Amino acid sequence: MNVQIAAHLFRLMLCAALLATPALAEPPPRPVRVLPVSLIPRSETLILSGTIQARHNVDVGFRVAGKVIERPVDIGQTLAPGQVIARIDPTDIKLNLAASEAALRSAEADAANARIDLARYDGLKNSAAFVPTEYDRRFAVARMAEARLVQAQRQRDLASQQLQSTDLHADEASVVTALPVDVGQVVAVAQT
Protein backbone atom coordinates (compact mmCIF):
# COMPACT_ATOMS: atom_id res chain seq x y z
CA MET A 1 0.00 0.00 0.00
CA ASN A 2 2.87 2.27 0.56
CA VAL A 3 3.78 1.90 -3.01
CA GLN A 4 0.28 2.82 -4.04
CA ILE A 5 0.29 5.87 -1.83
CA ALA A 6 3.69 6.90 -3.15
CA ALA A 7 2.54 6.57 -6.76
CA HIS A 8 -0.59 8.56 -5.98
CA LEU A 9 1.45 11.29 -4.29
CA PHE A 10 3.81 11.38 -7.26
CA ARG A 11 0.88 11.91 -9.62
CA LEU A 12 -0.46 14.73 -7.48
CA MET A 13 2.87 16.48 -7.41
CA LEU A 14 3.18 16.15 -11.14
CA CYS A 15 -0.26 17.69 -11.65
CA ALA A 16 0.60 20.51 -9.26
CA ALA A 17 3.84 21.16 -11.13
CA LEU A 18 2.06 21.26 -14.46
CA LEU A 19 -0.52 23.64 -13.10
CA ALA A 20 2.18 25.88 -11.62
CA THR A 21 4.07 26.35 -14.97
CA PRO A 22 2.60 28.82 -17.39
CA ALA A 23 0.77 27.19 -20.28
CA LEU A 24 2.17 27.37 -23.78
CA ALA A 25 -0.30 29.82 -25.19
CA GLU A 26 -0.41 31.44 -28.60
CA PRO A 27 1.68 34.57 -28.95
CA PRO A 28 -0.24 37.81 -28.84
CA PRO A 29 -1.41 39.07 -32.26
CA ARG A 30 0.86 41.53 -34.03
CA PRO A 31 -0.66 44.39 -36.01
CA VAL A 32 -0.42 44.12 -39.87
CA ARG A 33 -1.03 46.85 -42.37
CA VAL A 34 -3.49 45.78 -45.12
CA LEU A 35 -4.08 47.69 -48.40
CA PRO A 36 -6.26 46.75 -51.40
CA VAL A 37 -4.31 46.02 -54.63
CA SER A 38 -5.44 47.85 -57.74
CA LEU A 39 -4.01 49.29 -60.96
CA ILE A 40 -3.43 52.99 -60.58
CA PRO A 41 -2.74 54.82 -63.84
CA ARG A 42 0.38 56.88 -63.79
CA SER A 43 0.08 60.55 -64.40
CA GLU A 44 3.11 60.36 -66.72
CA THR A 45 2.40 58.97 -70.18
CA LEU A 46 4.90 58.24 -72.91
CA ILE A 47 3.81 59.30 -76.40
CA LEU A 48 6.05 58.55 -79.37
CA SER A 49 5.46 59.42 -83.00
CA GLY A 50 6.51 57.31 -85.94
CA THR A 51 5.43 55.47 -89.03
CA ILE A 52 4.90 51.81 -89.62
CA GLN A 53 6.33 50.68 -92.92
CA ALA A 54 6.70 47.39 -94.69
CA ARG A 55 10.16 45.89 -94.92
CA HIS A 56 9.83 45.65 -98.71
CA ASN A 57 7.62 48.15 -100.49
CA VAL A 58 6.96 47.50 -104.18
CA ASP A 59 4.92 49.89 -106.30
CA VAL A 60 3.21 48.08 -109.15
CA GLY A 61 1.64 49.54 -112.26
CA PHE A 62 0.12 48.62 -115.59
CA ARG A 63 2.34 48.11 -118.62
CA VAL A 64 -0.38 49.66 -120.81
CA ALA A 65 -2.53 52.77 -120.56
CA GLY A 66 -6.29 52.61 -120.17
CA LYS A 67 -9.38 53.03 -118.02
CA VAL A 68 -9.58 51.00 -114.80
CA ILE A 69 -12.74 48.88 -114.93
CA GLU A 70 -12.20 46.72 -111.84
CA ARG A 71 -10.23 46.83 -108.59
CA PRO A 72 -11.19 43.80 -106.48
CA VAL A 73 -8.77 44.51 -103.60
CA ASP A 74 -8.77 46.92 -100.65
CA ILE A 75 -6.11 48.34 -98.37
CA GLY A 76 -4.93 45.81 -95.79
CA GLN A 77 -5.95 42.81 -97.88
CA THR A 78 -3.49 39.92 -98.18
CA LEU A 79 -2.74 38.91 -101.76
CA ALA A 80 -1.73 35.51 -103.08
CA PRO A 81 0.80 35.26 -105.92
CA GLY A 82 -0.96 35.83 -109.25
CA GLN A 83 -4.07 37.37 -107.70
CA VAL A 84 -5.65 40.18 -109.77
CA ILE A 85 -5.15 43.63 -108.26
CA ALA A 86 -6.90 45.68 -110.97
CA ARG A 87 -8.11 45.46 -114.59
CA ILE A 88 -7.99 47.91 -117.48
CA ASP A 89 -10.67 48.03 -120.19
CA PRO A 90 -9.26 45.76 -122.94
CA THR A 91 -11.48 47.08 -125.78
CA ASP A 92 -8.88 49.38 -127.38
CA ILE A 93 -6.13 46.80 -127.02
CA LYS A 94 -8.34 44.08 -128.58
CA LEU A 95 -8.95 46.40 -131.52
CA ASN A 96 -5.21 47.02 -131.80
CA LEU A 97 -4.61 43.25 -131.75
CA ALA A 98 -7.22 42.68 -134.48
CA ALA A 99 -5.62 45.43 -136.61
CA SER A 100 -2.15 43.96 -136.15
CA GLU A 101 -3.43 40.47 -137.07
CA ALA A 102 -4.97 41.93 -140.26
CA ALA A 103 -1.69 43.73 -141.05
CA LEU A 104 0.14 40.43 -140.49
CA ARG A 105 -2.14 38.60 -142.94
CA SER A 106 -1.60 41.39 -145.48
CA ALA A 107 2.18 41.25 -145.00
CA GLU A 108 2.12 37.46 -145.40
CA ALA A 109 0.23 37.82 -148.69
CA ASP A 110 2.59 40.56 -149.93
CA ALA A 111 5.67 38.49 -149.02
CA ALA A 112 4.27 35.38 -150.72
CA ASN A 113 3.39 37.41 -153.81
CA ALA A 114 6.87 38.99 -153.92
CA ARG A 115 8.56 35.56 -153.56
CA ILE A 116 6.45 34.13 -156.41
CA ASP A 117 7.13 37.16 -158.59
CA LEU A 118 10.88 36.90 -157.95
CA ALA A 119 10.89 33.15 -158.64
CA ARG A 120 8.93 33.69 -161.89
CA TYR A 121 11.32 36.39 -163.07
CA ASP A 122 14.29 34.23 -162.01
CA GLY A 123 12.96 31.59 -164.44
CA LEU A 124 13.57 34.07 -167.31
CA LYS A 125 17.32 34.29 -166.60
CA ASN A 126 18.39 32.58 -169.82
CA SER A 127 15.94 34.41 -172.10
CA ALA A 128 16.08 37.72 -173.94
CA ALA A 129 13.31 39.09 -171.70
CA PHE A 130 15.59 38.98 -168.62
CA VAL A 131 16.89 42.39 -167.48
CA PRO A 132 19.33 42.30 -164.55
CA THR A 133 18.19 45.65 -163.13
CA GLU A 134 14.56 44.43 -163.13
CA TYR A 135 15.70 41.30 -161.29
CA ASP A 136 17.49 43.47 -158.68
CA ARG A 137 14.35 45.58 -158.25
CA ARG A 138 12.16 42.49 -157.76
CA PHE A 139 14.72 41.00 -155.35
CA ALA A 140 14.65 44.24 -153.29
CA VAL A 141 10.83 44.21 -153.28
CA ALA A 142 10.85 40.60 -152.01
CA ARG A 143 13.31 41.48 -149.22
CA MET A 144 11.23 44.49 -148.18
CA ALA A 145 8.11 42.33 -148.12
CA GLU A 146 9.89 39.80 -145.89
CA ALA A 147 11.01 42.61 -143.56
CA ARG A 148 7.45 43.99 -143.37
CA LEU A 149 6.25 40.46 -142.56
CA VAL A 150 8.69 40.22 -139.64
CA GLN A 151 7.64 43.69 -138.48
CA ALA A 152 3.95 42.73 -138.66
CA GLN A 153 4.64 39.55 -136.65
CA ARG A 154 6.40 41.61 -133.95
CA GLN A 155 3.54 44.12 -133.88
CA ARG A 156 1.03 41.29 -133.45
CA ASP A 157 3.15 39.75 -130.65
CA LEU A 158 3.34 43.15 -128.92
CA ALA A 159 -0.43 43.68 -129.19
CA SER A 160 -1.02 40.17 -127.80
CA GLN A 161 1.31 40.88 -124.88
CA GLN A 162 -0.43 44.20 -124.23
CA LEU A 163 -3.78 42.39 -124.07
CA GLN A 164 -2.35 40.12 -121.36
CA SER A 165 -1.12 43.23 -119.53
CA THR A 166 -4.64 44.60 -119.01
CA ASP A 167 -4.79 42.56 -115.78
CA LEU A 168 -2.45 43.68 -113.01
CA HIS A 169 -1.39 40.68 -110.91
CA ALA A 170 0.47 40.35 -107.60
CA ASP A 171 3.95 38.98 -108.24
CA GLU A 172 4.21 37.37 -104.81
CA ALA A 173 2.34 37.03 -101.53
CA SER A 174 1.89 40.53 -100.18
CA VAL A 175 -0.34 43.01 -98.36
CA VAL A 176 -1.96 46.01 -100.03
CA THR A 177 -0.73 49.19 -98.31
CA ALA A 178 -1.99 51.82 -100.77
CA LEU A 179 -4.44 52.07 -103.66
CA PRO A 180 -3.76 55.23 -105.65
CA VAL A 181 -6.30 54.37 -108.39
CA ASP A 182 -10.06 53.92 -108.44
CA VAL A 183 -12.48 52.33 -110.86
CA GLY A 184 -13.16 54.71 -113.74
CA GLN A 185 -9.78 56.42 -113.55
CA VAL A 186 -7.63 56.52 -116.70
CA VAL A 187 -4.06 55.48 -115.96
CA ALA A 188 -0.87 55.99 -117.91
CA VAL A 189 1.73 53.35 -118.65
CA ALA A 190 3.67 52.39 -115.47
CA GLN A 191 1.52 54.62 -113.23
CA THR A 192 1.61 53.29 -109.65
Side-chain angles (χ1 to χ4, degrees):
M1 183 154 219
N2 276 339
V3 174
Q4 284 184 345
I5 293 176
H8 185 59
L9 278 175
F10 178 73
R11 273 188 245 137
L12 283 174
M13 286 185 352
L14 184 61
C15 283
L18 285 174
L19 288 174
T21 60
L24 295 174
E26 291 185 19
R30 293 181 8 197
V32 176
R33 189 172 186 186
V34 177
L35 295 175
V37 176
S38 64
L39 179 63
I40 300 172
R42 297 179 62 149
S43 60
E44 298 175 15
T45 56
L46 180 62
I47 299 173
L48 301 173
S49 64
T51 21
I52 298 173
Q53 293 182 340
R55 179 185 292 170
H56 302 287
N57 190 10
V58 179
D59 293 334
V60 294
F62 287 100
R63 295 172 61 188
V64 293
K67 181 179 179 180
V68 178
I69 59 170
E70 183 182 0
R71 192 196 74 200
V73 299
D74 286 318
I75 293 177
Q77 183 174 345
T78 302
L79 301 176
Q83 184 174 348
V84 174
I85 299 170
R87 284 193 170 94
I88 286 182
D89 184 8
T91 305
D92 295 339
I93 296 171
K94 284 181 181 178
L95 291 172
N96 188 24
L97 178 60
S100 65
E101 286 173 346
L104 176 61
R105 286 191 299 275
S106 175
E108 286 171 344
D110 288 346
N113 201 12
R115 280 192 297 268
I116 291 170
D117 190 37
L118 179 63
R120 189 178 305 131
Y121 198 76
D122 192 41
L124 299 175
K125 250 185 185 174
N126 296 329
S127 73
F130 184 79
V131 179
T133 54
E134 180 63 22
Y135 177 80
D136 292 342
R137 186 189 70 74
R138 290 179 190 223
F139 181 77
V141 167
R143 289 193 61 190
M144 285 189 298
E146 290 293 329
R148 278 194 299 274
L149 175 61
V150 170
Q151 181 184 15
Q153 288 170 337
R154 299 294 183 264
Q155 287 293 335
R156 193 259 336 257
D157 293 345
L158 179 63
S160 177
Q161 188 178 39
Q162 286 177 339
L163 183 61
Q164 294 173 358
S165 297
T166 58
D167 289 351
L168 183 61
H169 298 275
D171 293 332
E172 56 190 39
S174 53
V175 176
V176 179
T177 58
L179 287 170
V181 297
D182 286 320
V183 174
Q185 184 176 347
V186 177
V187 294
V189 175
Q191 179 178 335
T192 302

